[in-house]
């Protein structure tokens, strides 16, 4: 196949396809984080991205596949933000927990749409609810491992079921961060981070 058949204005077919996928993901993120899952339809995403439905189906089997892609990227970026900060955190267990929650708070404060995707829309959409049910306990387990690495094994499920304290703290943290991001609690960021740290240590029995 000639180069003219695979390139256009210096861009290959593969790179153009990848860019269209990114356009759809960016559009989906804007809609999901700004207007919610109900507004994130295939047609709305295509309008936002300036692409036809043909390109949507070239990249995603359905709307649910796009929602999962957006959620997973948002969750992975959260973990990256937290683990990056933890790399330079002090050895003290309580201080490390506070660093983890401060990194999470900063991540959501930098773009509140992230919080809506990870917290509010997991309550509104069945696909995201199932995704959040797996992801949020995993994040709690990550924090627990930083707090007490020698005892982290007891917070890791071997049966596919979520340990009771991990379930409890997952729900509590969703409510806490969601209310803070919505401005519904009388607390600043430092107070929220301190409370999340104390709450986690208490519920997980690490004090």
């Amino acid at each position: 196949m000639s180069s003219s058949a695979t390139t256009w204005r210096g861009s290959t077919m593969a790179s153009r396809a990848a860019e269209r996928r990114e356009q759809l993901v960016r559009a989906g993120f804007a809609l999901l984080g700004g207007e919610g899952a109900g507004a994130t339809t295939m047609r709305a995403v295509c309008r936002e991205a300036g692409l036809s439905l043909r390109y949507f189906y070239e990249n995603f089997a359905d709307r649910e596949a796009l929602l999962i892609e957006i959620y997973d990227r948002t969750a992975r970026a959260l973990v990256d933000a937290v683990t990056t900060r933890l790399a330079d955190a002090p050895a003290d267990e309580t201080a490390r927990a506070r660093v983890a929650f401060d990194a999470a708070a900063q991540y959501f404060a930098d773009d509140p749409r992230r919080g809506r995707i990870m917290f509010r829309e997991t309550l509104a959409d069945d696909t995201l609810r199932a995704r959040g049910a797996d992801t949020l306990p995993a994040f709690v387990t990550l924090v627990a491992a930083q707090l007490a690495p020698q005892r982290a094994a007891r917070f890791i499920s071997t049966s596919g079921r979520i340990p009771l304290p991990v379930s409890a703290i997952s729900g509590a943290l969703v409510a806490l961060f969601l209310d803070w991001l919505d401005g519904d609690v009388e607390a600043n960021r430092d107070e929220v981070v301190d409370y999340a740290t104390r709450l986690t240590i208490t519920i997980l029995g690490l004090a």
Side-chain angles (χ1 to χ4, degrees):
M1 182 179 293
S2 67
S3 60
S4 63
T6 57
T7 61
W8 184 72
R9 294 185 179 178
S11 177
T12 66
M13 292 177 62
S15 65
R16 294 199 302 277
E19 175 56 27
R20 286 193 294 268
R21 183 181 180 88
E22 290 305 306
Q23 285 178 254
L24 291 166
V25 173
R26 288 194 298 267
F29 176 87
L31 287 167
L32 185 60
E35 301 180 38
T40 312
T41 65
M42 289 187 294
R43 292 187 181 279
V45 169
C46 289
R47 282 196 301 270
E48 181 78 14
L51 297 171
S52 69
L53 278 173
R54 165 197 166 191
Y55 292 121
F56 187 99
Y57 285 116
E58 282 185 1
N59 288 279
F60 300 99
D62 49 31
R63 166 185 172 274
E64 286 68 29
L66 174 62
L67 294 183
I68 289 171
E69 175 80 7
I70 295 166
Y71 182 90
D72 286 354
R73 288 195 189 193
T74 306
R76 285 196 301 268
L78 168 63
V79 172
D80 288 346
V82 170
T83 53
T84 296
R85 287 277 300 278
L86 283 172
D88 298 319
D92 177 76
E93 292 179 354
T94 300
R96 291 185 66 81
R98 194 185 189 288
V99 166
F101 285 122
D102 187 64
Q106 182 65 58
Y107 175 75
F108 294 125
D110 284 345
D111 189 341
R113 294 177 298 179
R114 298 164 175 168
R116 177 167 187 169
I117 289 169
M118 292 204 66
F119 302 138
R120 182 173 301 286
E121 296 312 311
T122 56
L123 304 176
D125 181 87
D126 289 342
T127 296
L128 295 178
R129 183 179 298 112
R131 211 63 173 181
D134 292 331
T135 302
L136 293 172
F139 176 76
V140 172
T141 301
L142 169 65
V143 175
Q146 300 301 322
L147 277 166
Q150 72 279 11
R151 289 177 284 170
R154 68 188 175 107
F155 303 117
I156 300 174
S157 173
T158 57
S159 65
R161 302 172 70 187
I162 302 171
L164 189 60
V166 173
S167 175
I169 194 63
S170 296
L173 290 174
V174 166
L176 177 63
F177 275 95
L178 186 56
D179 287 345
W180 170 61
L181 290 168
D182 285 347
D184 292 334
V185 293
E186 294 182 359
N188 59 34
R189 173 176 153 186
D190 285 341
E191 291 170 331
V192 168
V193 168
D194 286 340
Y195 192 84
T197 302
R198 295 196 305 271
L199 188 68
T200 300
I201 291 173
T202 299
I203 292 181
L204 296 184
L206 297 176

